[in-house]
Coordinates of all heavy atoms in Angstrom, one line a residue:
L281 N 88.9 283.6 -202.4 CA 89.9 283.4 -201.3 C 90.9 282.3 -201.6 O 92.1 282.4 -201.3 CB 89.1 283.2 -200.0 CG 89.9 283.0 -198.7 CD1 90.9 284.2 -198.5 CD2 89.0 282.8 -197.5
V282 N 90.4 281.2 -202.2 CA 91.3 280.1 -202.5 C 92.3 280.6 -203.6 O 93.5 280.3 -203.5 CB 90.4 278.9 -203.1 CG1 91.4 277.8 -203.6 CG2 89.5 278.4 -202.0
R283 N 91.8 281.3 -204.6 CA 92.7 281.7 -205.7 C 93.8 282.6 -205.2 O 95.0 282.4 -205.5 CB 91.9 282.5 -206.8 CG 91.0 281.6 -207.7 CD 90.7 282.4 -209.0 NE 89.9 283.6 -208.6 CZ 88.6 283.7 -208.8 NH1 87.9 282.6 -209.2 NH2 87.9 284.8 -208.5
S284 N 93.4 283.6 -204.4 CA 94.4 284.6 -203.9 C 95.4 283.9 -202.9 O 96.6 284.2 -203.0 CB 93.7 285.7 -203.2 OG 92.9 286.4 -204.1
S285 N 94.9 283.0 -202.1 CA 95.8 282.3 -201.2 C 96.8 281.4 -201.9 O 98.0 281.3 -201.6 CB 95.0 281.4 -200.2 OG 94.1 282.2 -199.4
V286 N 96.3 280.7 -202.9 CA 97.2 279.8 -203.7 C 98.2 280.7 -204.4 O 99.4 280.3 -204.5 CB 96.3 279.0 -204.7 CG1 97.3 278.3 -205.7 CG2 95.5 278.0 -204.0
I287 N 97.8 281.8 -205.0 CA 98.8 282.7 -205.6 C 99.9 283.2 -204.7 O 101.0 283.3 -205.0 CB 98.1 283.9 -206.3 CG1 97.3 283.4 -207.6 CG2 99.1 285.0 -206.7 CD1 98.2 282.7 -208.6
I288 N 99.5 283.5 -203.4 CA 100.5 283.9 -202.4 C 101.5 282.7 -202.2 O 102.7 283.0 -202.2 CB 99.8 284.2 -201.1 CG1 99.0 285.5 -201.3 CG2 100.8 284.4 -200.0 CD1 99.8 286.7 -201.6
L289 N 101.0 281.5 -202.2 CA 101.9 280.3 -202.1 C 102.8 280.2 -203.3 O 104.0 280.0 -203.2 CB 101.1 279.1 -201.9 CG 100.3 278.9 -200.5 CD1 99.6 277.6 -200.5 CD2 101.3 279.0 -199.3
V290 N 102.2 280.4 -204.5 CA 103.0 280.3 -205.7 C 104.1 281.4 -205.7 O 105.2 281.2 -206.1 CB 102.1 280.4 -206.9 CG1 102.9 280.6 -208.2 CG2 101.2 279.2 -207.0
L291 N 103.7 282.6 -205.3 CA 104.6 283.7 -205.3 C 105.8 283.4 -204.3 O 106.9 283.7 -204.6 CB 103.9 285.0 -204.8 CG 104.7 286.3 -204.7 CD1 105.3 286.6 -206.1 CD2 103.9 287.4 -204.2
A292 N 105.5 282.8 -203.2 CA 106.5 282.4 -202.2 C 107.5 281.4 -202.9 O 108.7 281.5 -202.7 CB 105.9 281.9 -200.9
V293 N 106.9 280.4 -203.6 CA 107.7 279.4 -204.2 C 108.6 280.1 -205.3 O 109.8 279.8 -205.4 CB 106.9 278.3 -204.8 CG1 107.7 277.4 -205.7 CG2 106.2 277.6 -203.7
I294 N 108.0 280.9 -206.1 CA 108.8 281.5 -207.2 C 109.8 282.5 -206.7 O 111.0 282.5 -207.2 CB 107.8 282.2 -208.2 CG1 106.9 281.2 -209.0 CG2 108.6 283.1 -209.2 CD1 105.9 281.9 -209.9
G295 N 109.5 283.2 -205.7 CA 110.4 284.1 -205.0 C 111.6 283.4 -204.5 O 112.8 283.8 -204.6
T296 N 111.3 282.2 -203.9 CA 112.4 281.4 -203.3 C 113.3 280.9 -204.4 O 114.5 280.8 -204.3 CB 111.8 280.2 -202.5 OG1 111.0 280.7 -201.5 CG2 112.9 279.3 -201.9
M297 N 112.7 280.4 -205.5 CA 113.5 280.0 -206.7 C 114.4 281.1 -207.2 O 115.5 280.8 -207.6 CB 112.6 279.4 -207.8 CG 111.8 278.2 -207.4 SD 112.8 276.7 -207.1 CE 112.9 276.8 -205.3
F298 N 113.9 282.3 -207.2 CA 114.6 283.4 -207.7 C 115.9 283.7 -206.8 O 117.0 283.8 -207.3 CB 113.8 284.7 -207.8 CG 114.5 285.9 -208.2 CD1 115.0 286.1 -209.4 CD2 114.6 287.0 -207.2 CE1 115.6 287.3 -209.8 CE2 115.2 288.1 -207.6 CZ 115.8 288.3 -208.9
L299 N 115.6 283.7 -205.5 CA 116.7 283.9 -204.6 C 117.7 282.7 -204.6 O 118.9 282.9 -204.5 CB 116.2 284.0 -203.2 CG 115.3 285.3 -202.9 CD1 114.8 285.3 -201.5 CD2 116.1 286.5 -203.1
T300 N 117.2 281.5 -204.9 CA 118.1 280.4 -205.0 C 119.0 280.5 -206.2 O 120.2 280.2 -206.2 CB 117.3 279.1 -205.1 OG1 116.5 278.9 -203.9 CG2 118.2 277.9 -205.2
D301 N 118.5 280.9 -207.3 CA 119.3 281.2 -208.5 C 120.3 282.2 -208.3 O 121.5 282.1 -208.8 CB 118.4 281.6 -209.7 CG 117.5 280.4 -210.2 OD1 117.9 279.3 -210.0 OD2 116.4 280.7 -210.8
L302 N 120.0 283.3 -207.6 CA 121.0 284.3 -207.3 C 122.1 283.8 -206.4 O 123.3 284.1 -206.6 CB 120.3 285.5 -206.6 CG 119.3 286.3 -207.5 CD1 118.8 287.5 -206.7 CD2 119.9 286.8 -208.8
A303 N 121.7 283.0 -205.4 CA 122.7 282.4 -204.5 C 123.6 281.4 -205.3 O 124.8 281.4 -205.1 CB 122.0 281.7 -203.4
Y304 N 123.0 280.7 -206.2 CA 123.8 279.7 -207.0 C 124.8 280.5 -207.9 O 125.9 280.1 -208.0 CB 122.8 278.9 -207.9 CG 123.3 277.5 -208.2 CD1 122.7 276.4 -207.7 CD2 124.3 277.4 -209.2 CE1 123.1 275.2 -208.1 CE2 124.7 276.1 -209.5 CZ 124.1 275.0 -209.0 OH 124.6 273.8 -209.3
A305 N 124.3 281.6 -208.5 CA 125.2 282.3 -209.3 C 126.3 283.0 -208.5 O 127.5 283.2 -209.0 CB 124.4 283.4 -210.1
W306 N 126.0 283.4 -207.3 CA 127.0 284.0 -206.4 C 128.1 283.0 -206.0 O 129.3 283.3 -206.0 CB 126.4 284.6 -205.2 CG 127.4 285.1 -204.2 CD1 128.1 286.3 -204.3 CD2 127.8 284.5 -203.0 NE1 128.9 286.5 -203.2 CE2 128.8 285.4 -202.4 CE3 127.5 283.3 -202.3 CZ2 129.4 285.1 -201.2 CZ3 128.1 283.1 -201.1 CH2 129.1 283.9 -200.6
V307 N 127.7 281.7 -205.7 CA 128.6 280.7 -205.3 C 129.4 280.2 -206.6 O 130.6 280.0 -206.4 CB 127.9 279.5 -204.7 CG1 128.8 278.3 -204.5 CG2 127.2 279.9 -203.4
D308 N 128.8 280.1 -207.7 CA 129.5 279.7 -208.9 C 129.4 280.8 -210.0 O 128.5 280.9 -210.8 CB 128.8 278.4 -209.4 CG 129.5 277.8 -210.6 OD1 130.6 278.3 -211.0 OD2 129.1 276.7 -211.1
P309 N 130.4 281.6 -210.1 CA 130.4 282.7 -211.0 C 130.3 282.3 -212.5 O 129.9 283.0 -213.4 CB 131.8 283.5 -210.8 CG 132.1 283.1 -209.4 CD 131.6 281.7 -209.2
R310 N 130.7 281.0 -212.7 CA 130.7 280.5 -214.1 C 129.2 280.5 -214.6 O 129.0 280.6 -215.8 CB 131.3 279.1 -214.2 CG 132.7 279.0 -213.9 CD 133.2 277.6 -213.7 NE 132.5 276.9 -212.7 CZ 132.6 275.6 -212.4 NH1 133.4 274.9 -213.1 NH2 131.9 275.1 -211.4
L311 N 128.3 280.3 -213.8 CA 126.9 280.2 -214.2 C 126.4 281.5 -214.8 O 125.9 281.6 -215.9 CB 126.0 279.9 -213.0 CG 124.5 279.8 -213.3 CD1 124.2 278.6 -214.2 CD2 123.7 279.5 -212.0

Side-chain angles (χ1 to χ4, degrees):
L281 182 54
V282 176
R283 285 198 299 259
S284 299
S285 300
V286 170
I287 286 302
I288 293 297
L289 293 180
V290 172
L291 180 61
V293 171
I294 291 177
T296 302
M297 294 297 99
F298 176 67
L299 295 177
T300 302
D301 287 337
L302 293 184
Y304 208 108
W306 177 76
V307 173
D308 187 1
R310 295 171 299 177
L311 180 63

